[in-house]
């Protein structure tokens, strides 16, 4: 059976057996948290368990690297909606050790794209149109620095109120241990050294 049908078959059984009932909640985060985390597959269950979160406890935004690439992009907009419309009172940025976004090479990605049928012309056209693919596809060199930068981007955003603490953390993808990089209750105080 293909992936979609496997998924749909599971879904029919899930709904029929009313397994959803244990997850009933509402759209407001019970713990008042909005979390920006990495999309890493190892964190699917580990991150909420390690943070003590159950369904309904937090607004969870995920992308590659727990990054904000643009102050007016969809991640920042999601955080703003979480704060003003959905009663998020604190924000956590949670990146992780051994992240695929550490030191990724835009040239490698573009070479893979070409192997998969994206023409050199297309890439040249995008560059000619002013799209800076090398910056856009770049990850980060140091996860702690990246978390600090992301926290600063949120904290300094003109539409984020000053009374919203913004915390920065790094989670270990096998143990779930959290390191605090920025404690949002202090004045951007550094709790853990860069590693
Ligand atoms: Zn990652």
């Amino acid at each position: 059976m293909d992936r979609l049908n496997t998924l749909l078959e599971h879904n029919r059984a899930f709904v029929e057996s009313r397994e959803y009932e244990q997850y009933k909640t509402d759209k407001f985060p019970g713990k008042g948290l909005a979390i920006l985390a990495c999309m890493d597959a190892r964190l699917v269950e580990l991150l909420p368990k390690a943070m003590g979160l159950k369904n309904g406890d937090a607004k969870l935004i995920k992308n590659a690297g727990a990054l904000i690439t643009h102050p007016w992009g969809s991640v920042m907009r999601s955080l703003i909606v979480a704060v003003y419309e959905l009663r998020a009172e604190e924000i956590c940025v949670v990146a992780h050790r051994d992240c695929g976004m550490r030191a990724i090479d835009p040239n490698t990605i573009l070479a893979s794209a070409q192997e998969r049928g994206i023409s050199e012309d297309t890439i040249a056209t995008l560059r000619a149109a002013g799209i800076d693919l090398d910056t856009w596809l770049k990850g980060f060199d140091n996860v702690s620095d990246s978390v600090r930068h992301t926290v600063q981007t949120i904290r300094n955003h003109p539409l984020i109120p000053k009374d919203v603490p913004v915390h920065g953390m790094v989670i270990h993808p096998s143990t779930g241990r959290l390191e605090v990089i920025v404690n949002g209750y202090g004045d951007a105080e550094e709790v853990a050294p860069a590693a």
Side-chain angles (χ1 to χ4, degrees):
M1 203 186 304
D2 63 30
R3 291 188 182 94
L4 176 61
N5 278 300
T6 304
L7 185 159
L8 291 174
E9 185 170 292
H10 170 87
N11 182 254
R12 274 189 288 276
F14 178 89
V15 174
E16 271 165 27
S17 64
R18 303 171 75 89
E19 220 180 299
Y20 54 84
E21 283 178 349
Q22 61 187 305
Y23 301 107
K24 269 211 173 98
T25 180
D26 62 32
K27 65 181 179 178
F28 299 109
K31 291 195 173 170
L33 292 173
I35 297 168
L36 168 59
C38 183
M39 68 182 187
D40 194 291
R42 291 167 292 181
L43 302 181
V44 169
E45 286 187 73
L46 182 70
L47 180 117
K49 296 278 186 205
M51 295 182 78
L53 302 171
K54 60 180 192 332
N55 208 38
D57 276 350
K59 309 309 276 188
L60 184 51
I61 303 150
K62 287 189 164 192
N63 67 19
L67 294 169
I68 294 177
T69 52
H70 198 285
W72 303 105
S74 66
V75 172
M76 204 57 237
R77 183 175 59 179
S78 300
L79 290 171
I80 285 162
V81 170
V83 166
Y84 290 111
E85 290 286 312
L86 299 163
R87 303 178 195 163
E89 290 165 359
E90 304 194 15
I91 294 171
C92 297
V93 176
V94 186
H96 65 101
R97 297 280 156 208
D98 189 33
C99 184
M101 285 301 278
R102 199 184 71 78
I104 62 163
D105 182 356
N107 290 322
T108 307
I109 294 178
L110 292 173
S112 298
Q114 285 188 51
E115 277 168 25
R116 295 285 293 274
I118 311 300
S119 73
E120 208 170 336
D121 269 6
T122 298
I123 292 168
T125 304
L126 292 171
R127 289 196 198 283
I131 296 170
D132 183 355
L133 293 172
D134 302 300
T135 302
W136 188 63
L137 288 170
K138 197 178 170 317
F140 50 78
D141 297 322
N142 177 293
V143 70
S144 303
D145 290 346
S146 173
V147 166
R148 281 189 201 94
H149 180 259
T150 303
V151 165
Q152 279 307 110
T153 301
I154 299 168
R155 199 195 289 276
N156 294 337
H157 198 281
L159 294 181
I160 288 287
K162 296 298 170 212
D163 60 351
V164 171
V166 185
H167 311 290
M169 283 173 269
V170 172
I171 191 168
H172 197 286
S174 46
T175 65
R177 190 172 78 87
L178 285 168
E179 284 172 64
V180 177
I181 305 300
V182 179
N183 179 334
Y185 300 133
D187 189 19
E189 77 178 350
E190 306 270 325
V191 175

